[in-house]
C-alpha cells in the first residue's frame, strides 16, 4: 500500500553546542594530511518533502513487511527493501510504484535463508549477504539469480556487514570461525577480528572468499573492576566488567572506495584508502565533556531502563549453528547478571564526541555527536575535503536508513498499529547542504 503525503519544513531550534572530547586515537600518519573543521556551530534546517510510504497490515506479499533488515537506493531512485523474515527483496520506483520482488525464502539456488544486508555493485548487480548460508548471493538488475560467493567458516566469515565496497567486498569488524566436526563443533565469534593482535581490526572479505586485513583501529584499554555474578538456579553467570563512554568504532564507505572511520573519543574521522593507509584526517577542535556524577547516574538509569524494556531472551544464538532453546530460568538469571554488571559499571573520563557516522549519496558525512544520556545529539554535515556545511539540531531531520539520489531518503518506521513501514522523503532543492556558509 502506497500513501502519498504532504510537504513540510523543519525549522532550527537555535544554536546548540555540545562539548566533545579531543583526546586519544590510533591509526597511521595520514598521507594527505589533516583537515581542520574550525569555527562555531551554525544551524541548518533542511526543508523536505514527504514522498510516499510503503507497508500494510494486510495485503499482497510485497505490501506486508515482516522484518526489514536493510534498504538501498539505486542511481534512478528505485528503492530496494530487504525483508529478512520473508526472505526477499521488494523494489519500488522513486514514486513508490511497486516494480518487482527478488528471491524468496529457501535453501535452493538464488533463495535466501537468513539475509542480513544488501548492496548495489558498480556493474548493477544486487548483492545480498546471507548469514544463514555464510555467503553472498548475486542477482541481475532485473532480479534474476546470477551466482553465489560462499565463505568458508573454518577460515573465517563475516558475522555482520559493516560496509560494502563497489566490487562486492565486505568490510567488517565482526567475524566468526568454526572448528571441529558436526558432532563436536566449536564456534569462536569476535568483535574486531579473529586473532589476538592489539587494536580493533577491520577485515575485508572479497567475493572469491579470501580474507585480508584492511585497517587496525585504535582500541581503548580493557575495563577494570570485578566481574558481575548471578547464580542460584540452573545457571551461573560471570560477566566481564564494562566501562561506559568508551570510544566506539564507527565506519562507512565513500563512493571512491575509501572508508571513513571513527575510533577515538575525539572529533576525529580518518579516511582510509583501499590500500589500508590513512589518506586524511578530519577534525573539529571541540572541548571535552567530562563524565560527572550526574552523568554517571543518568547513564546507569538509562541502561537499566533499556534492559527492563527489552524482551528477555529465551534462545541462545551462535554463529553457524541453530538457535538453542534455553530453560525457563535462563532469562531471569541473565537479567540479574546484567543488572549487577550495570551496577558495577565504570566510566571513561569524557564522553566520546561522535556517536554515529553515515555517508549520503553525494559523499557528505553525517556526523552524529554524542548527547548526554536520554538526550538527542546534533548532526554535523561535513565533506571529505573538510568543508563544514552546518549542524542539524535535535528535533530536526534525523539520519535516514538509506540515502538516495536527488535528496531522497528512506526511514524504517513502525505504524501506530504495530507493523513495519518505510517512509520516503526528499530534500528540497534549496536544502543548505551543497555549499560552505558562514554563521
Amino acid at each position: 500500500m502506497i500513501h502519498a503525503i504532504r510537504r513540510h519544513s523543519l525549522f532550527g531550534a537555535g544554536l546548540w553546542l555540545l562539548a566533545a572530547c579531543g583526546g586519544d586515537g590510533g591509526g597511521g600518519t595520514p598521507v594527505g594530511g589533516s583537515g581542520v573543521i574550525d569555527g562555531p556551530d551554525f544551524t541548518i534546517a533542511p526543508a523536505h518533502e514527504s514522498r510516499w510510504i510503503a507497508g500494510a497490515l494486510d495485503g499482497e506479499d510485497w505490501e506486508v513487511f515482516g522484518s526489514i533488515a536493510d534498504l538501498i537506493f539505486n542511481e534512478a531512485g528505485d528503492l530496494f527493501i530487504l525483508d529478512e523474515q520473508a526472505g526477499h527483496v521488494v523494489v519500488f520506483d522513486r514514486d513508490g510504484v511497486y516494480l518487482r520482488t527478488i528471491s524468496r525464502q529457501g535453501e535452493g539456488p538464488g533463495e535466501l535463508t537468513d539475509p542480513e544486508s544488501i548492496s548495489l555493485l558498480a556493474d548493477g548487480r544486487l548483492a545480498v549477504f546471507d548469514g544463514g548460508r555464510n555467503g553472498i548471493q548475486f542477482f541481475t538488475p532485473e532480479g534474476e539469480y546470477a551466482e553465489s560467493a560462499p565463505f568458508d567458516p573454518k577460515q573465517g566469515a563475516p558475522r555482520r556487514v559493516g560496509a560494502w565496497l563497489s566490487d562486492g567486498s565486505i568490510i567488517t569488524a565482526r567475524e566468526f570461525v568454526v572448528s571441529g566436526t558436526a558432532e563436536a563443533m566449536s564456534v569462536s565469534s569476535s568483535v574486531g577480528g579473529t586473532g589476538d593482535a592489539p587494536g580493533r581490526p577491520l577485515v575485508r572479505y572479497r567475493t572469491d572468499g579470501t580474507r585480508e586485513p584492511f585497517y587496525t583501529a585504535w582500541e581503548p584499554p580493557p575495563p577494570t573492576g570485578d566481574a558481575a555474578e548471578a547464580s542460584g538456579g540452573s545457571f551461573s553467570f560471570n560477566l566481564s566488567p564494562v566501562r561506559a563512554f568508551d570510544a566506539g568504532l564507527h565506519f562507512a564507505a565513500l563512493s571512491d572506495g575509501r572508508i571513513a572511520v571513527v575510533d577515538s573519543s575525539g572529533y576525529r574521522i580518518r579516511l582510509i584508502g583501499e590500500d589500508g593507509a590513512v589518506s586524511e584526517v578530519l577534525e573539529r577542535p571541540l572541548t571535552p565533556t567530562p563524565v560527572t556524577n550526574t552523568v554517571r547516574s543518568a547513564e546507569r538509569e538509562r541502561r537499566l531502563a533499556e534492559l527492563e524494556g527489552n524482551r528477555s531472551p529465551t534462545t541462545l544464538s551462535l554463529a553457524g549453528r541453530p538457535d538453542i532453546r534455553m530453560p525457563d530460568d535462563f532469562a531471569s538469571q541473565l537479567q540479574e547478571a546484567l543488572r549487577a554488571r550495570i551496577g558495577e559499571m565504570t566510566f571513561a573520563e569524557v564522553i566520546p564526541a561522535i556517536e554515529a557516522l553515515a555517508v549520503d549519496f553525494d559523499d557528505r558525512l553525517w556526523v552524529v555527536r554524542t548527547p548526554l544520556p536520554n538526550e538527542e545529539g546534533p548532526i554535523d554535515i561535513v565533506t571529505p575535503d573538510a568543508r563544514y556545511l552546518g549542524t542539524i539540531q535535535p528535533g530536526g531531520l534525523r539520519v535516514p536508513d538509506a540515502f538516495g539520489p536527488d535528496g531522497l531518503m528512506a526511514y524504517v518506521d513502525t505504524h501506530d498499529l504495530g507493523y513495519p513501514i518505510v517512509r520516503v522523503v526528499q530534500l528540497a532543492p534549496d536544502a543548505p547542504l551543497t555549499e560552505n556558509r558562514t554563521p
Side-chain angles (χ1 to χ4, degrees):
M1 180 179 298
I2 308 300
H3 310 271
I5 42 188
R6 60 187 175 82
R7 178 186 178 92
H8 58 284
S9 299
L10 297 175
F11 296 93
L15 202 62
W16 191 93
L17 296 176
L18 171 72
C21 173
D24 41 43
T29 301
V31 174
S34 296
V36 177
I37 304 168
D38 212 345
D41 283 1
F42 63 91
T43 295
I44 57 174
H48 71 280
E49 179 182 5
S50 297
R51 294 293 305 273
W52 50 271
I53 295 176
L57 181 62
D58 191 20
E60 301 291 336
D61 289 346
W62 59 267
E63 292 182 283
V64 180
F65 299 123
S67 176
I68 299 172
D70 201 4
L71 58 172
I72 189 172
F73 286 95
N74 66 10
E75 293 281 352
D78 300 335
L79 181 62
F80 294 68
I81 303 173
L82 173 61
D83 189 329
E84 180 180 15
Q85 183 174 315
H88 63 213
V89 177
V90 182
V91 188
F92 297 90
D93 74 7
R94 66 184 296 130
D95 296 316
V97 176
Y98 167 72
L99 296 179
R100 59 188 173 274
T101 297
I102 300 173
S103 193
R104 63 183 180 184
Q105 190 85 37
E107 298 182 359
E111 296 177 333
L112 303 174
T113 303
D114 186 17
E116 300 175 12
S117 181
I118 57 176
S119 182
L120 290 166
L121 308 186
D123 59 10
R125 291 185 300 168
L126 172 71
V128 183
F129 175 69
D130 191 336
R133 305 180 76 166
N134 297 318
I136 305 172
Q137 306 266 39
F138 296 97
F139 299 86
T140 68
E142 296 73 32
E144 298 297 322
Y145 171 65
E147 60 179 330
S148 62
F151 300 113
D152 183 358
K154 292 186 177 181
Q155 302 298 320
R159 182 167 175 81
R160 183 176 299 173
V161 176
W164 290 88
L165 298 181
S166 61
D167 65 351
S169 294
I170 288 172
I171 304 295
T172 184
R174 295 175 179 266
E175 307 177 82
F176 73 94
V177 175
V178 174
S179 59
T181 63
E183 292 76 19
M185 184 182 296
S186 173
V187 180
S188 173
S189 181
S190 69
V191 178
T194 58
D196 297 324
R200 292 180 284 187
L202 300 184
V203 178
R204 180 175 185 170
Y205 280 89
R206 296 184 179 272
T207 55
D208 61 3
T210 58
R211 171 191 181 276
E212 61 187 43
F214 178 73
Y215 174 75
T216 300
W218 177 78
E219 183 176 26
T224 58
D226 297 329
E229 299 181 357
S231 59
S234 304
F235 294 88
S236 176
F237 289 96
N238 189 294
L239 303 181
S240 58
V242 65
R243 181 171 52 226
F245 301 121
D246 268 344
L249 176 57
H250 315 289
F251 54 99
L254 297 164
S255 62
D256 61 5
R258 289 183 295 173
I259 302 292
V261 176
V262 173
D263 62 357
S264 69
S265 293
Y267 195 116
R268 186 174 299 112
I269 305 167
R270 292 181 172 82
L271 304 183
I272 315 299
E274 290 200 59
D275 59 357
V278 180
S279 63
E280 190 164 2
V281 179
L282 311 179
E283 299 184 80
R284 283 196 78 185
L286 302 179
T287 305
T289 297
V291 177
T292 63
N293 286 335
T294 300
V295 171
R296 294 185 186 96
S297 297
E299 179 63 11
R300 280 201 176 94
E301 290 174 5
R302 186 193 68 80
R303 294 196 183 203
L304 287 170
E306 185 179 73
L307 178 63
E308 296 302 322
N310 290 336
R311 180 177 297 178
S312 300
T314 57
T315 59
L316 183 63
S317 299
L318 296 173
R321 303 188 69 177
D323 288 351
I324 303 170
R325 175 74 183 183
M326 305 306 294
D328 293 340
D329 61 349
F330 171 80
S332 61
Q333 287 184 251
L334 178 57
Q335 290 282 92
E336 181 184 345
L338 291 171
R339 280 193 294 269
R341 183 163 70 166
I342 293 173
E344 298 293 332
M345 181 171 62
T346 58
F347 296 83
E349 294 183 358
V350 294
I351 297 175
I354 296 175
E355 181 181 53
L357 178 71
V359 176
D360 69 16
F361 216 79
D362 296 305
D363 272 352
R364 293 178 293 243
L365 300 170
W366 291 53
V367 185
V368 184
R369 285 157 42 183
T370 310
L372 294 172
N374 299 311
E375 296 184 6
E376 188 179 83
I379 302 170
D380 292 344
I381 312 296
V382 302
T383 66
D385 59 353
R387 289 183 296 123
Y388 169 56
L389 304 180
T391 297
I392 301 173
Q393 300 299 335
L397 197 65
R398 295 292 88 192
V399 176
D401 294 287
F403 291 98
D406 306 319
L408 288 169
M409 301 189 294
Y411 295 84
V412 178
D413 210 339
T414 302
H415 190 274
D416 291 342
L417 296 180
Y419 58 87
I421 60 173
V422 174
R423 296 185 297 109
V424 175
V425 307
Q426 186 171 19
L427 293 175
D430 58 350
L433 296 179
T434 57
E435 60 180 294
N436 197 0
R437 301 187 176 194
T438 56

